[in-house]
Amino acid sequence: MEKQIAGKNITVNEEGYLTNLNEWDKDVATEIAQEEGITLEEAHWPVLEYLQNQHKNEVALTIRKVGKSGVIDIKGFYALFPGGPLKKASRIAGIPKPVSCI
Amino acid sequence: MRQVVILGAGTAGTLMANHLTKSLPQNEYAVTIVDQRKEHHYQPGYLFIPFGIYSKEDVLKPIEKFIPGKAQYVQESIDRVKPDEDQVVLANGEVLPYDLLIIATGTDIAPQEIEGMDGPYWRKNIFDFYTLEGALALHEKIKDFKEGHLVVHIAEMPIKCPVAPLEFAFLADAYFREKGLRENIEITYVTPMDGAFTKPVATAKLQHLLDEKGIEVVPNFSIMEVNGEAQKIIDYEGREVSYDVLVTVPTNMGAGYVERSGFGDELNFVPTDKATLQSKVKPNIFVIGDATDVPASKAGSVAHFEGEILLENVQRFLDNKPLKAEFDGHANCFVETGHGKALLIDFNYTHEPVPGTFPIPGLGPLRLLEESRMNHLGKLAFKWIYWNMLITGKHIPFVSSKMNTAGKEYAEVTA
């Protein structure tokens, strides 16, 4: 489905995750973050970039992986994206939600 | 004589030994398989042990019974792989040179990764059911458990058989209901994911099971520590869940020699091409089953489907032909829901589990993503299929390596 985000028509799935990372930009991220109750600041961007790079390399993301990335530790990750950091940060980064098999 | 060495004689390694000894000319290739254990474990059976449905005897058989006579079995631990020298070094110092290596050493629980888990309360009131020892200890605990809070918990992803903790919660609900104790026992399901179900169709179709069974779900819980004395688990945001009995799926990690060899990821899984199953370590190293880092489920069915494609690619590699990029992430799992019923799910990298018929499109006889007695009988029958067909490398009729989209109700094809 299409959704207006930051004045653009963006394709998202039923849970509001982007289905095409090419449609992502910083304005889109900022608006999605606001929906999640997060105001993006300088510290958020390197984390989002890391998640996007891992996704492009087809690496399955986990909290542990983020914690060992050298970009941020787990507590810092929670502080930036409270209440489900991987899920929220993935949506803001324009990449799919981390899922289990069902 | 060219040497093919397989590390690990579990589901994936054993089925590859059977495939390869049947397919490779015996006068050109020697197949060697290494494992430290003497027994082959039917791991899907662990789930039934805590409830007294299976005993130890149901899940153990001598490992050598399933290793083909044409393969050499070496019972020893692995010290490390030296990719630059094409050698495996065993714990006893013996060196196995190889032309082609297949890594099939799976994954194991690592409770030491979570602070406080592996302490004095481990297997007293903190249990796993991903090992035979853990499942047996848990049986002793829950057979006398009459009241209190049972917490079923996943530490972090990825885990082997991601549906197993959910099955455990469903079976525990049925077990205590049948004993007339359910009113006195609270069951909570604690997961690092955003729900017990994470895919849209499965959530829509199956959420009712949790409601009907009265299982509370605590989502988005990334565990920081277990406080064994206070009997509670604590996450990174300071949330706490108290328990009387904690049934946890600890962190899952690949084998220790992978780390010593210097090529694993942060969980000792081996970087692997998700379509060809060739490692990213070196072209003559291939990986199968739970040991890979591919984004497929860690499950026996996945190892089985990978096996048919890996056999083809090993032959192609040995003949200097290009590899086939054919593995699609296909998985097929029975999910026990209690009271003699089960679900069946069939999915791959790109297609989530949906309703439909299996294995014959339109006919079944099994229904996908729907509770039935037939599916439960399928799960029980699978034990026979496992011992007699799956690990011996026989083709299972009507079930193809690549997932079949026919007979499935997709709203739209997801890409």
Side-chain angles (χ1 to χ4, degrees):
Chain A
M1 63 182 85
E2 290 221 324
K3 191 180 166 188
Q4 276 269 332
I5 305 175
K8 288 179 275 278
N9 279 329
I10 305 286
T11 317
V12 296
N13 69 12
E14 54 272 84
E15 293 179 293
Y17 286 76
L18 266 64
T19 53
N20 180 1
L21 182 53
N22 292 327
E23 294 181 351
W24 182 92
D25 63 28
K26 289 196 168 185
D27 294 336
V28 170
T30 304
E31 190 163 316
I32 298 174
Q34 276 166 2
E35 283 179 24
E36 295 280 4
I38 294 166
T39 306
L40 292 184
E41 290 165 9
E42 216 167 294
H44 290 92
W45 298 108
V47 179
L48 297 174
E49 193 183 336
Y50 167 78
L51 296 179
Q52 290 174 338
N53 287 335
Q54 294 295 303
H55 173 69
K56 285 176 196 158
N57 292 331
E58 299 189 324
V59 174
L61 282 160
T62 62
I63 293 263
R64 172 181 291 252
K65 196 157 249 157
V66 176
K68 289 204 171 177
S69 63
V71 178
I72 195 160
D73 65 14
I74 296 181
K75 283 202 161 173
F77 192 35
Y78 269 89
L80 289 178
F81 303 94
L86 198 54
K87 178 182 81 139
K88 288 189 178 178
S90 295
R91 189 170 161 232
I92 297 166
I95 65 173
K97 184 179 88 164
V99 288
S100 181
C101 63
I102 55 173
Chain B
M1 201 69 146
R2 296 170 86 187
Q3 303 290 330
V4 175
V5 173
I6 302 168
L7 300 181
T11 308
T14 303
L15 71 87
M16 281 316 295
N18 281 292
H19 276 318
L20 290 169
T21 49
K22 272 178 230 158
S23 303
L24 298 177
Q26 221 186 323
N27 52 356
E28 289 174 49
Y29 293 97
V31 177
T32 302
I33 182 163
V34 183
D35 198 294
Q36 61 195 349
R37 293 216 235 203
K38 286 185 176 163
E39 281 149 333
H40 189 112
H41 291 227
Y42 174 61
Q43 297 178 65
Y46 292 165
L47 172 70
F48 294 121
I49 289 178
F51 306 104
I53 302 167
Y54 279 0
S55 64
K56 194 174 174 178
E57 289 68 37
D58 287 297
V59 301
L60 288 183
K61 290 190 193 287
I63 207 166
E64 287 187 83
K65 193 175 162 169
F66 303 96
I67 293 173
K70 291 179 199 163
Q72 190 200 353
Y73 166 53
V74 177
Q75 197 213 323
E76 184 56 59
S77 305
I78 301 154
D79 177 52
R80 70 193 62 216
V81 176
K82 293 181 167 175
D84 294 336
E85 292 155 61
D86 298 327
Q87 287 178 347
V88 176
V89 183
L90 301 178
N92 63 5
E94 195 187 331
V95 173
L96 299 176
Y98 60 82
D99 293 287
L100 185 136
L101 182 70
I102 295 174
I103 292 179
T105 35
T107 177
D108 204 351
I109 59 162
Q112 69 279 5
E113 291 291 312
I114 306 294
E115 193 184 329
M117 190 177 276
D118 197 11
Y121 301 94
W122 180 245
R123 291 184 182 157
K124 301 282 193 303
N125 61 357
I126 305 171
F127 297 88
D128 77 289
F129 65 97
Y130 273 46
T131 58
L132 179 57
E133 300 74 25
L136 291 167
L138 182 53
H139 174 60
E140 292 304 312
K141 183 74 180 184
I142 68 169
K143 73 181 163 86
D144 299 321
F145 189 57
K146 294 198 168 51
E147 61 179 333
H149 191 189
L150 175 72
V151 172
V152 183
H153 168 250
I154 301 170
E156 59 181 311
M157 298 301 287
I159 57 167
K160 173 154 50 186
C161 193
V163 292
L166 201 53
E167 293 181 278
F168 185 90
F170 290 156
L171 288 177
D173 166 72
Y175 177 81
F176 292 120
R177 244 174 241 279
E178 281 157 22
K179 284 178 125 186
L181 295 170
R182 187 62 176 91
E183 282 177 14
N184 309 326
I185 293 169
E186 190 186 348
I187 301 177
T188 303
Y189 186 80
V190 181
T191 170
M193 312 302 289
D194 74 341
F197 303 104
T198 59
K199 300 270 176 105
V201 180
T203 306
K205 291 282 293 182
L206 304 175
Q207 187 64 35
H208 70 97
L209 291 172
L210 294 158
D211 302 338
E212 284 162 17
K213 294 172 195 295
I215 296 167
E216 196 207 337
V217 177
V218 178
N220 298 314
F221 192 97
S222 287
I223 190 168
M224 186 175 70
E225 62 169 306
V226 181
N227 185 332
E229 204 178 331
Q231 297 188 184
K232 58 190 184 187
I233 50 176
I234 303 154
D235 87 347
Y236 280 96
E237 289 184 303
R239 287 193 295 167
E240 297 181 351
V241 177
S242 297
Y243 60 83
D244 292 297
V245 174
L246 177 66
V247 177
T248 185
V249 180
T251 304
N252 277 213
M253 292 181 82
Y257 79 86
V258 173
E259 186 179 11
R260 290 193 291 276
S261 306
F263 53 62
D265 69 7
E266 70 284 346
L267 288 168
N268 299 344
F269 296 123
V270 183
T272 305
D273 184 288
K274 70 175 189 178
T276 65
L277 304 174
Q278 186 176 44
S279 79
K280 295 174 184 171
V281 179
K282 207 180 163 188
N284 66 342
I285 301 178
F286 289 78
V287 198
I288 180 171
D290 298 348
T292 76
D293 75 340
V294 305
S297 282
K298 296 194 181 296
S301 64
V302 174
H304 165 72
F305 297 133
E306 287 173 338
E308 297 186 7
I309 288 154
L310 181 57
L311 173 64
E312 167 100 26
N313 275 345
V314 164
Q315 288 174 311
R316 285 172 165 265
F317 181 84
L318 293 170
D319 294 340
N320 290 314
K321 289 182 187 158
L323 303 183
K324 275 193 172 175
E326 286 215 326
F327 184 59
D328 66 353
H330 188 192
N332 180 278
C333 307
F334 289 103
V335 184
E336 284 290 298
T337 52
H339 305 292
K341 290 186 181 175
L343 303 162
L344 179 63
I345 53 175
D346 197 55
F347 58 98
N348 68 9
Y349 286 140
T350 52
H351 291 70
E352 66 175 303
V354 293
T357 44
F358 187 88
I360 305 170
L363 281 177
L366 303 174
R367 295 278 311 162
L368 295 168
L369 211 59
E370 204 172 274
E371 258 190 313
S372 76
R373 291 195 183 277
M374 182 77 118
N375 287 336
H376 170 68
L377 297 176
K379 176 129 180 167
L380 296 184
F382 183 73
K383 186 170 80 160
W384 187 91
I385 294 176
Y386 182 89
W387 291 119
N388 293 285
M389 298 181 75
L390 194 138
I391 58 172
T392 57
K394 291 192 182 73
H395 184 75
I396 298 173
F398 307 113
V399 183
S400 60
S401 296
K402 285 202 254 182
M403 197 197 75
N404 191 349
T405 52
K408 295 196 174 83
E409 299 161 20
Y410 293 108
E412 56 185 299
V413 177
T414 47

